[in-house]
Amino acid sequence: MRRAGLASLLALAMAAPAVAASRAYHGGQFRYWDFNDSNDLRDMLYYVVPGGWHAQLEYWDFARGDDQLRPELGVHPRDRRRSVYTLAGRAELRPEASDRSQYRFWAGTDQVLSAHLVGRAQGDVIASESFTPQFVGTLGADAYWGSWNFMSASAIHDPRQGGLWTFPVRLRLANEANDWLQLTVAPADRRTIGWAADLKKGWLRLGVERNSRYDFTTRDNVIYTIGFEAPLPRRK
């Protein structure tokens, strides 16, 4: 049950809004999770977003414990107003663990409310053979200006371990080439706070992220990211 806590909520807050993702692109990252209990994690992933769908393959390599393979697939159709509807799922496979698999499915929408404002709602279901399915709810909004700049705020409720509210706020400043600097802060209702800083310049992606009481425990971590992101080659 403890595979997706504050770090997952912060990662959700860091993801670009679907309405802004009209480009076809792909990317890969290596993320090193430095835990304060020395059980560090090497996280390798590759994703492709060719248009109205996305796919991602991720592998978690722990210093100790059960590693995890995490395939993910989602679709993102749009309507005439360019509002987006998302249906996606991810398997979290641990072949060496007694509880071999956990699944996360989510459905949501990004609704264009005005020329500069987008409202968001999402519901996630976390399921496993070892516990009753649980529901995570998200509400938020994004305010855009210029071509790629936006500020985003969300409220996320996760019921696990007695429940947790998280309130991520994110600011992205970008140029016309869609190079950007993104800053995120994610306070929670149990006097914890996460933060992240991410940069994209050309094809290069860099980031650093800190999570307090990761996965509803006393563990803290810092995550360092290096990777690439580039447009997909155009079909002739």
Side-chain angles (χ1 to χ4, degrees):
M1 284 174 56
R2 291 185 169 185
R3 289 299 185 191
L6 281 177
S8 295
L9 299 181
L10 186 53
L12 182 64
M14 291 164 58
V19 290
S22 58
R23 302 167 298 120
Y25 61 96
H26 68 140
Q29 296 179 11
F30 175 78
R31 308 181 76 213
Y32 187 82
W33 301 43
D34 182 10
F35 284 98
N36 64 351
D37 65 355
S38 299
N39 191 19
D40 294 348
L41 165 63
R42 292 165 291 274
D43 178 7
M44 295 152 282
L45 63 92
Y46 173 76
Y47 55 90
V48 59
V49 187
W53 61 277
H54 84 274
Q56 178 174 289
L57 185 62
E58 183 175 16
Y59 184 71
W60 282 8
D61 178 15
F62 284 94
R64 301 188 305 274
D66 301 312
D67 297 337
Q68 192 174 125
L69 181 66
R70 301 161 62 89
E72 177 178 317
L73 183 65
V75 294
H76 314 275
R78 297 169 180 258
D79 63 19
R80 296 178 181 178
R81 299 181 300 111
R82 297 186 63 79
S83 295
V84 179
Y85 304 86
T86 294
L87 184 64
R90 180 177 67 239
E92 301 172 2
L93 307 175
R94 293 174 287 163
E96 299 177 358
S98 57
D99 180 10
R100 291 191 174 186
S101 60
Q102 179 172 297
Y103 301 92
R104 187 166 189 142
F105 305 97
W106 60 96
T109 183
D110 295 70
Q111 288 292 314
V112 177
L113 304 178
S114 70
H116 300 283
L117 186 64
V118 175
R120 289 179 290 105
Q122 180 172 305
D124 297 39
V125 176
I126 305 170
S128 171
E129 295 179 0
S130 63
F131 62 85
T132 303
Q134 299 184 71
F135 176 81
V136 179
T138 303
L139 290 174
D142 308 314
Y144 291 83
W145 68 96
S147 297
W148 300 99
N149 303 301
F150 63 83
M151 187 168 185
S152 173
S154 301
I156 304 171
H157 181 255
D158 193 309
R160 292 169 294 173
Q161 303 297 313
L164 180 72
W165 281 95
T166 309
F167 305 95
V169 178
R170 177 181 38 157
L171 173 66
R172 178 178 291 189
L173 301 175
N175 60 21
E176 292 298 322
N178 200 27
D179 296 327
W180 44 258
L181 171 66
Q182 180 171 287
L183 304 174
T184 304
V185 60
D189 65 350
R190 295 185 186 176
R191 300 182 181 179
T192 62
I193 192 166
W195 58 262
D198 293 270
L199 174 71
K200 177 182 175 292
K201 178 63 177 177
W203 58 267
L204 180 65
R205 287 285 305 269
L206 297 173
V208 60
E209 170 186 338
R210 187 183 189 282
N211 297 284
S212 177
R213 294 178 59 189
Y214 169 74
D215 280 353
F216 311 100
T217 69
T218 59
R219 305 166 70 197
D220 298 335
N221 71 4
V222 179
I223 304 173
Y224 303 95
T225 298
I226 185 170
F228 79 94
E229 185 173 290
L232 285 171
R234 291 186 178 182
R235 297 179 180 177
K236 294 184 180 179

